[in-house]
């Protein structure tokens, strides 16, 4: 995605000096475009995940049937965690999450713009389908780059007060590396993650982008406003951004949720007593379905997922759109 060019001042250079050089401010904006795009995506990811960190912790505990909370529902678990572990227990693993989510969000949003441009210019694919393809590729790229950090974050979030296997992020990295086969241990559950992320990210970006383009073309005055950094670019109003992001997240999460459950159980690995039955994606899917069924197994915690995915995606897309204006990316 190219930055918007700034016209040169009239009369710059002499009559025989050729094309005038761009103003320093415009040149700096071009020079640091990728860095600003990286920061915008990272900030968007951090804001989104911090908003729903307590819900994320409870989701992990329910998905993997933690023996302290497996008999509880979503809201009961949200009340039980603070009683057993204090209110900070709801944010357990969030430090590792922030270390992971900044590069994850940055890579995902930045690579989405890059892939979208690549697919349009090199493959000649446009319309709405290029958003679906670019979103899927961006999600997979971000997952592969940051998966070890997600592995550590899940292990820390699964721990309950008084039963700590890991004392912190560094200790978790060292323990997994030493006891679970070196670097391979950090990529346990990668396949279901990639398989699940492709439709999730693709549908998420596709839905948001389609809602945005249709909304701005159908009702530009009602739904849109000029961008603060470039009045020639029309952007959605903030509350419409939040609504479109929430709808995109809800649809995408519903499609990919069984694979998310599979990924979590594989990531927890040796922490679970039935880990030898969850060594591959297909074995894990069969085990969860056979022992817990669809509603209590493959879709366990889905009600919580709806509650968390709507604000998460709403905040992510809205923050990214606002950061693009703040950092002059339009």
């Amino acid at each position: 995605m190219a930055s918007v060019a700034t016209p040169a001042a009239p009369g710059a250079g002499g009559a025989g000096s050729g094309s005038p050089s761009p103003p320093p401010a415009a040149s700096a904006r071009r020079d640091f475009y990728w860095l600003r795009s990286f920061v915008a995506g990272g900030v968007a990811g951090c804001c989104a995940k911090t908003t729903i960190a307590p819900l994320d912790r409870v989701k992990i505990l329910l998905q993997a049937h933690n023996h302290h909370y497996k008999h509880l529902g979503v809201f009961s678990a949200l009340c039980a965690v603070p009683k057993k572990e204090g209110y900070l227990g709801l944010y357990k693993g969030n430090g590792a999450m922030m270390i992971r989510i900044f590069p994850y969000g940055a890579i995902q949003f930045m690579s989405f713009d890059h892939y979208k441009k690549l697919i349009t210019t090199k493959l000649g694919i446009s319309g709405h389908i290029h958003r679906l393809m670019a979103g899927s590729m961006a999600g997979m790229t971000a997952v592969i780059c940051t998966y070890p950090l997600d592995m550590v974050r899940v292990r820390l979030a699964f721990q309950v007060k008084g039963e700590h296997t890991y004392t912190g992020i560094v200790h978790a990295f060292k323990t997994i590396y030493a006891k679970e086969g070196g670097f391979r241990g950090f990529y346990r559950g990668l396949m279901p993650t990639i398989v699940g992320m492709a439709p999730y990210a693709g549908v998420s970006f596709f839905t948001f982008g389609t809602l945005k383009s249709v909304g701005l073309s159908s009702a530009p005055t009602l739904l849109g406003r000029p961008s603060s950094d470039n009045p020639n670019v029309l952007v959605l109003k903030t509350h419409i951004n939040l609504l479109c992001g929430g709808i995109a997240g809800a649809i995408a999460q519903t499609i990919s949720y069984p694979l998310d459950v599979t990924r979590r159980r594989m990531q927890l690995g040796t922490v679970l007593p039935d880990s030898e039955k969850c060594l591959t994606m297909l074995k894990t899917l069969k085990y969860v379905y056979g022992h817990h069924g669809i509603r209590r197994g493959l879709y366990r915690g889905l009600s919580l997922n709806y509650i968390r995915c709507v604000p998460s995606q709403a905040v992510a897309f809205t923050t990214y759109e606002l950061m693009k204006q703040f950092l002059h990316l339009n």
Side-chain angles (χ1 to χ4, degrees):
M1 182 189 296
S3 58
V4 178
T6 304
S17 61
S19 300
S21 58
S27 178
R29 281 198 291 272
R30 283 199 300 270
D31 290 343
F32 294 102
Y33 180 85
W34 288 108
L35 176 61
R36 288 180 286 119
S37 181
F38 189 87
V39 170
V43 171
C46 287
C47 289
K49 285 299 182 182
T50 300
T51 302
I52 51 105
L55 298 173
D56 251 347
R57 173 90 203 283
V58 169
K59 187 188 82 162
I60 291 171
L61 293 172
L62 293 181
Q63 277 184 337
H65 295 83
N66 184 287
H67 65 279
H68 288 284
Y69 304 106
K70 65 181 180 180
H71 59 288
L72 300 176
V74 172
F75 296 105
S76 301
L78 279 170
C79 296
V81 170
K83 290 179 181 178
K84 182 174 180 59
E85 307 177 51
Y87 282 101
L88 289 180
L90 292 171
Y91 288 88
K92 186 172 288 184
N94 197 51
M97 168 63 87
M98 290 300 101
I99 294 172
R100 167 195 170 254
I101 206 61
F102 187 90
Y104 178 89
I107 292 168
Q108 185 178 43
F109 279 104
M110 189 172 67
S111 60
F112 171 73
D113 289 336
H114 176 74
Y115 286 135
K116 189 169 65 171
K117 180 180 178 182
L118 188 69
I119 290 169
T120 303
T121 57
K122 301 296 184 182
L123 301 181
I125 300 174
S126 57
H128 298 307
I129 193 66
H130 77 298
R131 293 194 191 100
L132 183 65
M133 295 174 64
S136 298
M137 293 165 67
M140 290 188 290
T141 301
V143 162
I144 292 170
C145 291
T146 62
Y147 194 79
L149 289 168
D150 189 42
M151 167 72 78
V152 169
R153 197 270 304 189
V154 170
R155 294 291 180 92
L156 293 175
F158 188 71
Q159 294 184 136
V160 175
K161 188 176 182 180
E163 299 179 5
H164 286 185
T165 305
Y166 313 106
T167 58
I169 296 173
V170 175
H171 182 251
F173 268 109
K174 290 180 177 178
T175 305
I176 294 171
Y177 181 82
K179 296 184 177 181
E180 299 184 36
F183 287 109
R184 291 183 61 186
F186 292 112
Y187 285 91
R188 183 185 176 103
L190 178 63
M191 186 53 64
T193 304
I194 292 177
V195 173
M197 181 51 66
Y200 169 71
V203 171
S204 184
F205 277 104
F206 167 79
T207 305
F208 179 80
T210 301
L211 290 173
K212 179 181 176 181
S213 64
V214 170
L216 290 177
S217 61
S218 303
T221 306
L222 179 64
L223 304 179
R225 61 175 177 80
S227 174
S228 60
D229 66 321
N230 183 359
N232 295 322
V233 174
L234 202 62
V235 297
L236 290 175
K237 293 177 180 177
T238 302
H239 64 285
I240 304 299
N241 250 325
L242 288 167
L243 179 62
C244 291
I247 293 172
I251 294 173
Q253 289 276 0
T254 302
I255 293 172
S256 63
Y257 193 76
L259 291 167
D260 188 43
V261 172
T262 302
R263 169 173 65 110
R264 292 300 185 203
R265 292 190 70 91
M266 291 185 71
Q267 282 180 329
L268 289 166
T270 56
V271 176
L272 298 175
D274 51 7
S275 60
E276 72 282 352
K277 299 175 183 177
C278 301
L279 297 177
T280 67
M281 183 177 70
L282 288 177
K283 283 184 178 180
T284 305
L285 278 169
K286 289 179 180 178
Y287 176 78
V288 174
Y289 174 74
H291 284 72
H292 305 289
I294 296 176
R295 189 169 68 88
R296 293 186 176 276
L298 296 177
Y299 279 94
R300 179 176 173 82
L302 181 61
S303 59
L304 172 62
N305 210 48
Y306 283 132
I307 296 170
R308 62 178 285 280
C309 75
V310 171
S312 174
Q313 289 300 91
V315 170
F317 280 114
T318 303
T319 304
Y320 184 66
E321 292 292 317
L322 292 173
M323 288 298 294
K324 283 171 66 178
Q325 297 174 60
F326 179 73
L327 296 174
H328 299 278
L329 294 172
N330 288 320

